[in-house]
Amino acid sequence: MAENNSRSIYIKKDILIKIVEAFFSDNFRDKVNRIPVEMRPKGFEVPYRCCIHKERAIIRDRAIADLGFAMENDDEVKSLADYAKSALERERPDEKPLTVLEDACKGCVPSKIYVTDLCKGCVARPCEKICKFGAISVKDGRSQVDGTKCKGCKMCISACPYNAIVKLAVPCEDACPVDAIAKNEHGLAVINYDDCISCGQCIANCPFGAIHEKSQIIDVMKYIKSETKVIAMFAPAIAGQFTGSLGQFETAVLKAGFDDVYEVASGADITTKTEAKEFEERMAQGAAFMTTSCCAGYNELVKKHLSELQPFVSTTKTPLYYTAEILRKKFPEAKLVFISPCVAKRKEVFDNPNIDYILNAEELGALIAGRKIDISACEERVISNPPSKQGRAYAITGAVAGAVHHAMKNPSIMKPYIINGLNKESIRDLKKFAKTSFCPDCNIIEVMACQGGCLGGNANISPQQNAKKSIEAILKVSHDL
């Protein structure tokens, strides 16, 4: 997955911070209503769109999504103030985690294989020879592609000696591993939620920031402001997203309004031990292979598109599941909030009665910034009963398999295969493994929907290499499982 480093992420951050500031002010609705005008005041030099009114319209759309609503259902005459009121009255977030901002969507040129002016009409005509579908012919000394026959295999692109054939890609469509996003009759992006696995690749790859998560930040802040106990549970990847030490980060989360904070890495330790035991039992029973189960995007893939792979998926629960189960027993009346690096976990949270809400790294960052908290200036919180090095490493590709290997009684039998990011090629491999009940020279497959593991999640705010260094620094002072 491409890192989400487009300028739109900074605009999203600014809007979220303004919503947080408005919420803790004396006039939430009025201040939210003024966000588009405050961010693009009269006379402002328009940086991205045709005019200031277009920019304000898109900021309004982003604010509506940040208030937790779908732009597909937008009532254009409804003010942001009224949306803010509706957000406060909402009892439960929407199950569908994403929304498309039509005003931001540029309606990219449809994806196709295209012959450029670099074509020489060469005598060898390798592009015409290699095409199995008869989609390429030469006319007037130049190759041309018949779009009705082209299957998009890109063999002609590889064959052309002049690099004259290219693929015009729609970034969101091209990134989606399950073809769950396409254009409607108006040329704008539409998500098919029946196929969507919530991997977030469309969010990370859209250069216009037109695909947006529907935030639950209002729901969380509403309970922070009440007498209800609110507890944060953060994924291992989140520890690498902020400045300061792990202890300072936890103090900042408490200052932001949470009553307590826990590492989901503790649940990862349970997942590790349970999955190691399950793997050894399956191998003893003659199973061909087993896949890990902690990635929510992968679990959605199996459920919606790869049911034939289900018998090979570990039945062990995710680290979040075990963490929430423990905390729900300990704090039955509290609101449990998961801090996540990715959109896929939103579906897992919605389906788990032990978890109430979810925020991503962007939203937590906005909450901390909006409450004027400097993490580097926070006191170091003493972390009692810290999770293991293996549990905290779950954020990094290969670490889940590594943790299972570490916990096994007979680790020599393990032959890992790592899927570092779901795409059409890796999904084809998984289908082949399921069909043949055979994975070449492997018996355990770790699947991560994002390249780099959870550190590659679409909602992270730190460059992946920087985040990895932060995690590795924490691992150096962590104990073995």
Side-chain angles (χ1 to χ4, degrees), residues 418-433:
I418 309 298
I419 301 279
N420 184 22
L422 287 175
N423 52 43
K424 291 180 174 63
E425 289 73 25
S426 60
I427 290 175
R428 279 198 294 267
D429 287 343
L430 287 168
K431 283 183 177 179
K432 182 174 65 177
F433 298 157

Side-chain angles (χ1 to χ4, degrees), residues 244-255:
S245 68
L246 184 60
Q248 288 176 311
F249 165 71
E250 291 198 8
T251 298
V253 174
L254 295 174
K255 284 179 174 288

